[in-house]
Amino acid sequence: MDKPHQPFADGLPNLSEAHVELPTAERVQASTPLAHAPRFLILYGSLRERSFSRFLAYEAARLLEAMGGELRIFHAHGLPLPDDTTADHPKVRELRELSVWSEGQVWVSPERHGNLTGVMKSQIDWLPLSEGSVRPTQGRTLAVMQVSGGSQSFNAVNSLRVLGRWMRMITIPNQSSVPMAYKEFDEAGRMRPGPLYDRVVDVCEELMKFTLLTRGRADYLVDRYSERKEREPDRLKAIAADVGFVRAPSSELAS
């Protein structure tokens, strides 16, 4: 196999130099250090009175609070199905405002029929990728957890991880899956000590570290070359014409 001689001398003819920003260590530094406590939103995927996903969510909240975080837990009671109402519904507004407020999130779902629950998916589906100039999830850290009634499985956390990537979140490597959850929580809803609890501590500790590392610089970390190109006025006008929002002059459409 022939290898090209380096350094490459054939250039980058397809690259728009006006939109290239070479990453540097200096640019990764937060311009203004944040003084407030790291902010975390926790979502869980069950409406049951004795909900093990809620119990696990509370354990994560206790740990993150003990590590210096500020916590909000969203309760999905009363949240309508996606598209069943408009986005100005009080529960939808509450969820979106909490997501914008947060710097990191924890998603906890039961595993039902081999995947996450509809309650969990509905919450995520109500979070838009963008709302005007605001992106409610982009650049926020994310930890995923699941509970199941049977043997250990990773279907729900795998699906949550896919969703987190799709929502442009910084999903941490670690995760927690709690099998036979009815054995792992006492009557008061507290998680029993043991390796599974230790793993939850690991996840929360890692989430806190990643959040401290990325907050204040997340906008830069997730800024994209392709999106910088699309923000150009001419490019935006062409995209709008392409999807039918405006009619562009024939000369522009031809180009």
Side-chain angles (χ1 to χ4, degrees), residues 43-44 47 74-82 84-86 89-96 118-127:
L43 309 180
Y44 65 95
L47 302 180
F74 179 76
H75 303 284
H77 295 273
L79 181 71
L81 289 172
D84 194 39
T85 186
T86 57
H89 187 282
K91 289 295 291 188
V92 177
R93 287 204 313 271
E94 177 190 355
L95 175 60
R96 292 186 177 188
V119 174
M120 190 77 231
K121 186 62 161 56
S122 291
Q123 294 174 77
I124 299 169
D125 283 348
W126 271 121
L127 294 173

Side-chain angles (χ1 to χ4, degrees), residues 50 55 58-59 62 185-192:
R50 184 168 173 80
F55 294 161
Y58 284 180
E59 292 295 345
R62 293 183 183 99
F185 294 88
D186 62 22
E187 287 303 311
R190 295 304 308 270
M191 195 170 184
R192 304 183 192 279

Side-chain angles (χ1 to χ4, degrees), residues 11 46 48 78 82 87 102-103 108 115 125 135 140 142 153-154 162 164 167 176 188 201 216 231:
S46 171
R48 291 181 176 179
S102 70
E103 295 167 322
V108 188
N115 216 311
D125 283 348
R135 296 184 182 272
R140 286 153 180 81
L142 173 66
S153 169
F154 301 95
V162 169
M167 302 300 285
S176 170
V201 178
R231 286 196 292 266

Side-chain angles (χ1 to χ4, degrees), residues 11-22 225-226 228-229:
L12 297 167
N14 297 327
L15 194 67
S16 171
E17 294 186 6
H19 301 97
V20 174
E21 295 183 3
L22 298 179
Y225 163 78
S226 59
R228 290 195 295 274
K229 288 183 67 178

Side-chain angles (χ1 to χ4, degrees), residues 21-218:
E21 295 183 3
L22 298 179
T24 65
E26 291 74 21
R27 297 204 64 184
V28 172
Q29 301 303 313
S31 56
T32 304
L34 301 176
H36 64 263
R39 298 167 175 167
F40 296 99
L41 169 63
I42 301 182
L43 309 180
Y44 65 95
S46 171
L47 302 180
R48 291 181 176 179
E49 182 176 352
R50 184 168 173 80
S51 165
F52 296 112
S53 63
R54 186 177 74 249
F55 294 161
L56 184 56
Y58 284 180
E59 292 295 345
R62 293 183 183 99
L63 287 164
L64 290 168
E65 188 173 68
M67 294 175 188
E70 184 178 356
L71 275 297
R72 299 286 187 274
I73 300 176
F74 179 76
H75 303 284
H77 295 273
L79 181 71
L81 289 172
D83 302 326
D84 194 39
T85 186
T86 57
D88 60 356
H89 187 282
K91 289 295 291 188
V92 177
R93 287 204 313 271
E94 177 190 355
L95 175 60
R96 292 186 177 188
E97 289 168 1
L98 286 173
S99 187
V100 172
W101 167 85
S102 70
E103 295 167 322
Q105 297 187 17
V106 182
W107 294 352
V108 188
S109 180
E111 182 171 293
R112 182 173 297 170
H113 299 319
N115 216 311
L116 55 90
T117 61
V119 174
M120 190 77 231
K121 186 62 161 56
S122 291
Q123 294 174 77
I124 299 169
D125 283 348
W126 271 121
L127 294 173
L129 282 176
S130 62
E131 196 168 22
S133 61
V134 177
R135 296 184 182 272
T137 55
Q138 178 166 298
R140 286 153 180 81
T141 53
L142 173 66
V144 295
M145 302 184 184
Q146 76 167 74
V147 295
S148 55
S151 58
Q152 191 167 47
S153 169
F154 301 95
N155 292 332
V157 287
N158 287 340
S159 293
L160 291 172
R161 192 171 289 280
V162 169
L163 287 167
R165 184 172 68 247
W166 186 262
M167 302 300 285
R168 300 179 178 180
M169 304 179 78
I170 302 169
T171 309
I172 67 171
N174 214 337
Q175 61 189 26
S176 170
S177 173
V178 180
M180 292 183 282
Y182 58 90
K183 292 183 178 181
E184 299 301 326
F185 294 88
D186 62 22
E187 287 303 311
R190 295 304 308 270
M191 195 170 184
R192 304 183 192 279
L196 292 172
Y197 177 77
D198 294 347
R199 185 60 172 263
V200 175
V201 178
D202 289 346
V203 171
C204 291
E205 185 178 74
E206 187 171 286
L207 178 64
M208 176 61 78
K209 290 176 181 177
F210 271 78
T211 305
L212 290 172
L213 185 66
T214 59
R215 70 177 190 148
R217 51 182 68 87

